Amino acid sequence: MDFDAYARTGVDLVNARLDDLDDLRALFCDDQEWMREEVAERDLPTFRRAQKRLRDVFAYGTSGRDAQAVSELNSLLETFPVQPRISGHDSSDWHMHVTSRGASVSSEYLAGAVWGLSVWLCEYGSARFGVCADDRCGNVYLDTSSNCCRRFCSERCATRSHVAAHRARKRAAVPSQPDPLTPVS
């Protein structure tokens, strides 16, 4: 099983827009085409609740609250239990699924996401769960840097934030000029 891929589905869920069923369908990658076809309006509230709870896990990890991150993941593991099974279409395509046969789309997707993030936390620690430092963003990410120093979800956010800080420093360094229209007393 590719636990990193499952963990990334958790990241994708937290960062997804879930305004309507089309947004939810957009969450599923090509390998999950059957989910895109089977997901229904009734699944939307389940995904939204899980999205909020997983965002909390990232917030806990980012702020060093390991016990809360573990507690929330344990609670989610109870809500979306992993029930592994071997699946495949022929004898050369055997692979593992995280839920029992006939599970709902939400059960299948969320069990995988929670399991992947739980394995990630056990393997690397909750400090590797990040929330983008760019105040305008808010996306979450998994820190794969060699020294656990990542602060932004993407190069784009890092550049945007650094350019904004640079411009703010330049503005602060320029002495303010008196307004020529303001009378001097």
Side-chain angles (χ1 to χ4, degrees):
M1 293 181 84
D2 183 356
F3 295 116
D4 286 351
Y6 279 116
R8 284 189 299 276
T9 64
V11 170
D12 293 344
L13 172 59
V14 175
N15 293 337
R17 287 186 55 168
L18 293 179
D19 294 335
D20 56 30
L21 187 56
D22 288 334
D23 288 342
L24 180 55
R25 286 188 174 124
L27 174 66
F28 306 117
C29 65
D30 290 340
D31 292 346
Q32 301 163 324
E33 187 176 335
W34 72 270
M35 290 183 179
R36 190 178 304 125
E37 293 170 5
E38 289 186 25
V39 73
E41 193 76 35
R42 70 180 177 279
D43 294 307
L44 205 48
T46 303
F47 274 91
R48 286 177 181 150
R49 282 190 303 273
Q51 180 185 51
K52 184 202 174 310
R53 292 178 71 186
L54 288 173
R55 178 169 291 284
D56 290 345
V57 168
F58 279 86
Y60 296 146
T62 300
S63 62
R65 295 181 287 170
D66 292 355
Q68 287 97 329
V70 168
S71 177
E72 187 63 36
L73 282 172
N74 277 333
S75 176
L76 283 162
L77 284 168
E78 289 177 22
T79 304
F80 304 103
V82 175
Q83 300 170 333
R85 67 180 171 89
I86 299 171
S87 182
H89 306 290
D90 59 46
S91 62
S92 64
D93 184 33
W94 297 121
H95 57 277
M96 296 296 294
H97 279 259
V98 295
T99 58
S100 61
R101 186 172 207 77
S104 68
V105 171
S106 56
S107 293
E108 177 94 15
Y109 187 94
L110 296 171
V114 172
W115 178 253
L117 290 172
S118 298
V119 169
W120 183 273
L121 183 139
C122 292
E123 183 82 16
Y124 304 108
S126 70
R128 295 285 183 159
F129 288 25
V131 177
C132 189
D134 186 339
D135 294 335
R136 296 165 287 188
C137 178
N139 280 345
V140 301
Y141 60 90
L142 295 169
D143 186 350
T144 57
S145 66
S146 60
N147 58 356
C148 195
C149 65
R150 188 169 166 189
R151 295 181 42 238
F152 299 95
C153 69
S154 66
E155 286 295 321
R156 179 180 176 188
C157 280
T159 300
R160 183 175 55 200
S161 184
H162 292 127
V163 167
H166 172 74
R167 289 179 179 159
R169 285 190 304 274
K170 285 192 79 143
R171 277 193 305 273
V174 175
S176 60
Q177 302 291 326
D179 185 351
L181 301 176
T182 304
V184 178
S185 10

